[in-house]
Amino acid sequence: MGWTSAVGWALRAKMGRRARLLRNDDRWGTYTARIQASTLRTLLRHAAGTEVGRESGFGDIADLEQPVEVLDAYRAAVPIGDWYTVKDRVARMREGAEPDVLWPGLVKRFAQTSGTTAGDKFIPVTDEMMRSNYRASLDIFASLINRGVPLGRVTGGRCLFLGGSSDLRTDANGIITADLSGLVTPLIRWPISAVYSPGPEIALISDWPKKIEAMATLTKDQDIRMISGMPSWASVLMERVLEITGKPTIREVWPNLEVFVHGGVRYGPFKPRIGSLVTGAPDGDIPVRHELYPASEGFIAMQDRSDDPGMRLLVDIDNFYEFVPLESVGEDGRIPGDARAYTASEAQPGVRYVVVITSCAGLWRYTIGDVVEFDDVPGDLTGNGGTGPARLRIVGRLGGG
């Protein structure tokens, strides 16, 4: 092993306590409802002086004694919304550099995403959300520890991160707009940067075919041991690497490839193709696949068990979640503002829900649009009931953009 194996050993030492906490299913089954209730109260207090906080009485709501009172009052004051309900305020924040609108102070980063019908969206990314995403990224390594992955061996080679352009566009007011991957690239700091591929220069490329070509040319001679990215991107890169090298399988190019961290889309449709590329057989696979549920609005969940495709809801990184039954969605693909919503502890396994987030970036009861089902739900505020930590699967998406 090279010296970079020490990066993995350091990560294991740093994340050991967190890994032990994450594998304590009893704790998460018992305390999730209380953690989420505390998160909501904290978010309301923090934003009490903003425009939306003053209009909706966040300060008074946060001062209510009982968590149930806080949640009921919050739901009564803030209807469920989506991009259409926040876009004018976001425009004032991004184009006019107006502070204290949805979140305290001036929000200086916005993630640009493309909707199917709503056009481009610009999602606020506050300092608090950057910290939330950073904590979630560390949880990836904690979860891999719990799955028995030797981090020292993985970081003995290169970790390849596939993402959009890391180019940042800054306006005259200092407001940055970029692809989310561009905003979070600064989180890749030393010592992780010592094993990071493809590096900042290639990461800046916005033209996707050119980027694939550059990555394939670079990584064909690297010892890639972990890949992180969407399955569609990974399969395109692997195909090009095999074309350049003339090798029949990725296993012959990257013999130490051990971990594939993926999210964004369902893996099932890609599994035969990636299996064939890696091993030569459709039923083959990368030894460890670790599924994530990231979104521009927040890092929502990730897989935490080898034998379970369900992803654990990340309940303690400063975002609050509700879930609206799919049957509540209107013919226009939108959720009525007064639709009945459920917390993770109020949800039922096997029922299809649309995810609604209240985030540490100033999105208040915002519809993400993903449809999920719970495999396990946590206990109530007293710790009673439930079947374990909140674990869910993505089963679809609303068609409204």
Side-chain angles (χ1 to χ4, degrees), residues 103-336:
W103 194 253
L106 179 64
V107 178
K108 296 183 178 181
R109 306 178 196 87
F110 292 83
Q112 184 172 356
T113 67
S114 297
T116 55
T117 62
D120 287 343
K121 304 177 184 179
F122 301 94
I123 305 300
V125 181
T126 59
D127 291 343
E128 291 83 356
M129 181 57 75
M130 291 289 281
R131 285 194 290 270
S132 177
N133 286 336
Y134 178 66
R135 290 164 62 191
S137 69
L138 290 178
D139 272 1
I140 295 172
F141 293 102
S143 296
L144 289 175
I145 290 170
N146 287 338
R147 296 186 61 186
V149 174
L151 297 186
R153 190 166 71 204
V154 171
T155 62
R158 289 279 180 166
C159 299
L160 175 60
F161 293 85
L162 307 176
S165 173
S166 62
D167 187 25
L168 306 178
R169 303 183 300 280
T170 306
D171 69 11
N173 296 312
I175 305 298
I176 298 170
T177 302
D179 184 275
L180 180 62
S181 58
L183 295 175
V184 301
T185 294
L187 298 179
I188 303 175
R189 301 188 290 264
W190 195 90
I192 298 297
S193 57
V195 297
Y196 163 63
S197 188
E201 184 176 335
I202 293 177
L204 278 170
I205 300 174
S206 57
D207 183 274
W208 186 241
K210 290 182 180 178
K211 190 169 193 172
I212 286 289
E213 189 68 22
M215 283 193 291
T217 302
L218 173 71
T219 61
K220 67 180 177 61
D221 297 317
Q222 291 184 327
D223 181 11
I224 301 298
R225 301 193 180 190
M226 184 177 92
I227 298 174
S228 177
M230 292 180 63
S232 54
W233 296 348
S235 62
V236 172
L237 176 64
M238 290 177 184
E239 288 170 357
R240 185 58 185 143
V241 167
L242 294 182
E243 289 173 358
I244 293 175
T245 62
K247 300 290 186 181
T249 67
I250 286 296
R251 183 63 68 202
E252 295 191 34
V253 183
W254 302 326
N256 298 314
L257 178 60
E258 186 165 359
V259 179
F260 182 26
V261 178
H262 60 88
V265 294
R266 288 177 53 243
Y267 186 75
F270 296 93
K271 186 179 184 302
R273 181 57 182 156
I274 292 180
S276 297
L277 290 167
V278 173
T279 70
D283 58 350
D285 212 341
I286 298 171
V288 177
R289 285 194 296 101
H290 193 68
E291 186 169 5
L292 311 178
Y293 179 7
S296 299
E297 297 84 358
F299 208 126
I300 297 169
M302 72 175 65
Q303 186 177 0
D304 66 335
R305 298 193 294 195
S306 299
D307 58 348
D308 187 350
M311 293 179 284
R312 179 184 294 191
L313 191 66
L314 302 180
V315 299
D316 64 341
I317 59 170
D318 300 330
N319 297 314
F320 175 77
Y321 300 100
E322 297 174 273
F323 304 89
V324 176
L326 182 59
E327 62 189 25
S328 299
V329 177
E331 293 183 0
D332 59 355
R334 301 177 68 188
I335 297 175

Side-chain angles (χ1 to χ4, degrees), residues 54 101 201 261 366 396:
R54 295 191 303 272
V101 180
E201 184 176 335
V261 178
Y366 182 91

